[in-house]
């Protein structure tokens, strides 16, 4: 099955060149991060254009399918430093701010390990103040009862 994702020309944000963060850099904001498992995120300047992983007839997909679809961007895709930069500069981009609460954005170029061994990558979601907020998306399923639950 071939998937063609729709791009959104509603907004494009130019992000300057940003170095890979160190574990200490990340721990300044997220002290519970134990290690950086992988960081293949881009360090060159780039234009961020929104794409959707949903097909036109889909409202949602299972977590395993979602992760399969974003896998191509895990190698040399955006990572923590781009997500953090966007949060810090969000007011400079009205079209980007118009998306708050309507979408969430993932940055799969970095995977970190939480202190209890779970793996995450950065994402932007909206907070109660209708601002972009840096959060971590769980990459592995979590234990529920006697089995593994998957979204």
């Amino acid at each position: 099955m071939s998937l063609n994702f729709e791009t959104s020309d509603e907004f494009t944000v130019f992000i300057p060149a940003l170095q890979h963060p160190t574990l200490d850099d990340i721990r300044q904001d997220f002290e519970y991060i134990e290690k950086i498992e992988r960081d293949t995120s881009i360090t060159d300047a780039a234009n961020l254009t929104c794409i959707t992983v949903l097909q036109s007839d889909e409202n949602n997909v299972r977590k395993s399918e979602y992760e399969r679809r974003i896998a191509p961007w895990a190698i040399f895709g955006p990572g923590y430093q781009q997500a953090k930069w966007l949060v810090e500069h969000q007011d400079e981009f009205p079209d980007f701010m118009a998306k708050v609460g309507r979408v969430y954005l993932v940055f799969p170029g970095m995977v970190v390990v939480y202190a209890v061994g779970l793996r995450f990558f950065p994402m932007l979601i909206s907070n109660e103040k209708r601002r972009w907020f840096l959060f971590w998306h769980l990459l592995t399923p979590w234990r529920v009862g006697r089995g593994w639950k998957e979204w």
Side-chain angles (χ1 to χ4, degrees):
M1 176 173 154
S2 175
L3 296 172
N4 296 310
F5 300 119
E6 295 179 29
T7 60
S8 171
D9 57 0
E10 294 180 46
F11 75 91
T12 298
V13 177
F14 176 78
I15 300 175
L18 300 166
Q19 293 186 357
H20 290 156
T22 65
L23 182 58
D24 288 338
D25 293 336
I26 296 170
R27 282 186 171 162
Q28 288 179 16
D29 295 318
F30 303 98
E31 62 188 40
Y32 51 84
I33 301 297
E34 184 176 288
K35 69 178 182 175
I36 297 172
E37 179 179 284
R38 173 181 54 77
D39 189 356
T40 56
S41 60
I42 58 174
T43 56
D44 294 334
N47 283 315
L48 174 72
T49 301
C50 185
I51 65 164
T52 179
V53 297
L54 297 176
Q55 299 301 299
S56 60
D57 60 343
E58 296 175 323
N59 291 322
N60 58 55
V61 293
R62 292 177 58 86
K63 185 173 190 240
S64 58
E65 177 61 16
Y66 165 74
E67 290 179 1
R68 186 186 72 76
R69 291 181 186 185
I70 66 167
W73 292 279
I75 305 298
F76 306 115
Y80 175 83
Q81 67 274 27
Q82 286 82 21
K84 184 174 180 174
W85 187 91
L86 281 167
V87 169
E88 292 169 351
H89 296 269
Q90 60 186 294
D91 293 322
E92 299 169 27
F93 304 100
D95 292 340
F96 178 59
M97 291 301 293
K99 293 290 188 186
V100 172
R102 295 178 49 212
V103 300
Y104 61 87
L105 304 172
V106 297
F107 297 79
M110 173 183 274
V111 174
V112 298
V113 178
Y114 183 84
V116 295
L118 296 174
R119 299 164 60 235
F120 296 84
F121 59 80
M123 68 184 297
L124 296 183
I125 61 174
S126 61
N127 65 16
E128 66 280 354
K129 297 177 183 175
R130 302 221 13 101
R131 309 269 307 151
W132 288 107
F133 175 75
L134 182 55
F135 193 69
W136 295 93
H137 177 78
L138 180 64
L139 187 58
T140 52
W142 63 95
R143 186 99 177 148
V144 176
R146 296 181 346 145
W148 290 99
K149 181 176 180 179
E150 181 176 55
W151 307 353

